[in-house]
Amino acid sequence: MNDDDVFDDGGRGGDGFDHEASEALEDDVLEEALRQAAAILDPVPAELRRTAVEAYALNSLHDVDAQLAQLTFDSLVDAVPVRGPDVPRMLTFSTVALTVDVEVTAQGMMGQVLPPRPARIEILGGPQSASATTVTADEMGRFTCDLSLTGPFALRLRSGEEVVLTEWLRL
C-alpha cells in the first residue's frame, strides 16, 4: 500500500464531497437552461422541424445499412465562378469504394458512377415529393434525367447489394 492508496478519495477533494459528480450535474442544469432559452428566444419553426423529421425518415428508414456519400466537390464553393445563363452546377459525392459525379442544370441532370458500373439511381426530391424519380446508369456508369430540380434533393444509388445515399443539397 502506498500514500496514493491511503489518500485516494475517489475525486471527492478530501472533504467527502464528490466534486466531479457535482460538476456534471451543474453542466446538465446549464445545458437544460440553454435549451429552454433557445426554445423561447429562437425557436425552430414548426414547418422546418416537420420537414427535417420527414427528410430523416425518408433517408434513414429505407436503407439502414446504406453508405453515406459525402460531398467532396461543389462548383458553387470549390470552383472559379462562371457567369452566364444556365451555368451547370458540378457535384462530386464520394465513398471509399465509389464516386458519383453529377452535373445539374435547369433542364435536368447527368452524371457518372465511378468506377463504371450499372446502377439504379433514385433522385429523392425531399419530403414534399411523394415518390422518387428513378434512372438507370449504363455499364459505363452514365445516367441522365430530364427532371428539373427545384428544392432539396439527394441520390440513392443501388448497385448489386451496395446502397449509397448522398447528402441532401439545395440548388
Side-chain angles (χ1 to χ4, degrees), residues 129-148:
S129 303
S131 63
T133 299
T134 303
V135 296
T136 303
D138 64 16
E139 59 280 344
M140 296 298 295
R142 300 171 298 200
F143 62 93
T144 61
C145 178
D146 295 335
L147 178 69
S148 179

Side-chain angles (χ1 to χ4, degrees), residues 5 55 58 84-86 89 97 118 159 168:
D5 293 333
L58 184 64
D86 198 26
R89 184 167 178 189
S159 178
W168 281 86

Side-chain angles (χ1 to χ4, degrees), residues 63-77:
D63 299 301
V64 174
D65 295 329
Q67 296 179 54
L68 180 63
Q70 295 183 341
L71 181 65
T72 55
F73 177 83
D74 183 344
S75 61
L76 286 181
V77 177

